[in-house]
Amino acid sequence: RKEVEQDPGPFNVPEGATVAFNCTYSNSASQSFFWYRQDCRKEPKLLMSVYSSGNEDGRFTAQLNRASQYISLLIRDSKLSDSATYLCVVTDSGGGADGLTFGKGTHLIIQP
Amino acid sequence: DGGITQSPKYLFRKEGQNVTLSCEQNLNHDAMYWYRQDPGQGLRLIYYSQIVNDFQKGDIAEGYSVSREKKESFPLTVTSAQKNPTAFYLCASSLRQVSGANVLTFGAGSRLTVL
């Protein structure tokens, strides 16, 4: 069975700090990887795709480690508004909605 | 602005009643999906549709039904056969079948409570 695992947290981090969390996946044939952000009682929204070479968007950096089968998200200079649940999403090589697996999310709380 | 509209946002149902959740998109996306989210749980796929008049069961289709008569619309019916229907229901769409770098766009969700 395909598994996508995340530390549920919560991660309590002071404002301005750097925080990082990982997501491990079990299917070595997985092809596409994403981080979504979900605010409390809201819908998930795409934060960033994760490319093999890694990618950066402002304070956010996502990386893929295929050998160890995990992706990571690093947030620098954290803001109060970064408080949310971060969902890891993995798609397998077969495509189709049933090939897309969501992690349960990592809850991040930025404290003033 | 393009997007996905789900209604109602909140819904209360008595046991034994069927309810239908609406999902409309004006993104011209081919594929549409229904997910269920329970507290502390990941999203679980109920049904998905890649084209009009075609849909497939997801991981937890029992007790649910869908239709896809129009590209823009993908309503979900929660039937009385669904044993534990209280949950947050999310509709999503993508430009085509999810593969490669295609991503999902979600509606704001419908929160169903069974009394």
Side-chain angles (χ1 to χ4, degrees):
Chain A
R1 179 172 177 78
K2 293 174 286 187
E3 298 283 347
V4 175
E5 301 288 343
Q6 296 183 253
D7 182 340
F11 284 49
N12 289 283
V13 175
E15 188 176 10
T18 295
V19 59
F21 31 84
N22 294 337
C23 165
T24 61
Y25 59 94
S26 62
N27 184 2
S28 59
S30 297
Q31 282 202 336
S32 300
F33 309 88
F34 308 91
W35 283 105
Y36 279 73
R37 171 197 169 120
Q38 185 174 24
D39 292 300
C40 187
R41 302 177 73 83
K42 300 288 189 181
E43 74 275 24
K45 293 183 179 178
L46 179 68
L47 178 64
M48 57 199 310
S49 302
V50 187
Y51 304 123
S52 296
S53 56
N55 52 309
E56 184 174 317
D57 183 3
R59 298 181 293 107
F60 298 83
T61 299
Q63 291 192 315
L64 167 64
N65 186 317
R66 284 196 180 274
S68 300
Q69 295 184 203
Y70 73 89
I71 64 172
S72 63
L73 180 66
L74 180 134
I75 306 174
R76 289 181 298 278
D77 187 24
S78 54
K79 312 292 184 189
L80 295 177
S81 58
D82 294 332
S83 297
T85 296
Y86 292 85
L87 305 176
C88 167
V89 181
V90 175
T91 63
D92 67 22
S93 57
D98 56 351
L100 188 150
T101 305
F102 285 80
K104 295 181 180 180
T106 295
H107 187 36
L108 175 65
I109 301 172
I110 306 300
Q111 297 175 326
Chain B
D1 289 336
I4 300 178
T5 302
Q6 288 188 241
S7 63
K9 190 171 184 178
Y10 299 97
L11 183 62
F12 297 88
R13 187 194 96 175
K14 293 181 179 179
E15 283 192 24
Q17 288 182 334
N18 292 356
V19 293
T20 297
L21 308 180
S22 169
C23 178
E24 303 279 333
Q25 55 99 358
N26 60 3
L27 299 166
N28 199 31
H29 283 176
D30 298 305
M32 297 187 73
Y33 318 83
W34 274 104
Y35 288 91
R36 169 181 173 143
Q37 187 176 37
D38 295 282
Q41 300 296 314
L43 275 68
R44 292 184 290 168
L45 182 64
I46 303 173
Y47 268 98
Y48 65 102
S49 168
Q50 299 170 37
I51 57 173
V52 175
N53 291 323
D54 185 53
F55 48 83
Q56 287 79 40
K57 293 182 179 180
D59 299 322
I60 55 166
E62 184 176 353
Y64 299 98
S65 65
V66 294
S67 63
R68 186 85 187 276
E69 297 177 1
K70 299 186 299 181
K71 185 176 184 178
E72 302 79 19
S73 179
F74 191 41
L76 173 74
T77 297
V78 185
T79 74
S80 56
Q82 169 51 234
K83 299 304 179 188
N84 186 20
T86 294
F88 187 42
Y89 291 88
L90 287 158
C91 180
S93 69
S94 66
L95 190 57
R96 55 185 179 274
Q97 178 177 321
V98 176
S99 64
N102 290 322
V103 299
L104 300 182
T105 300
F106 286 89
S110 293
R111 197 166 296 275
L112 172 64
T113 302
V114 173
L115 303 174

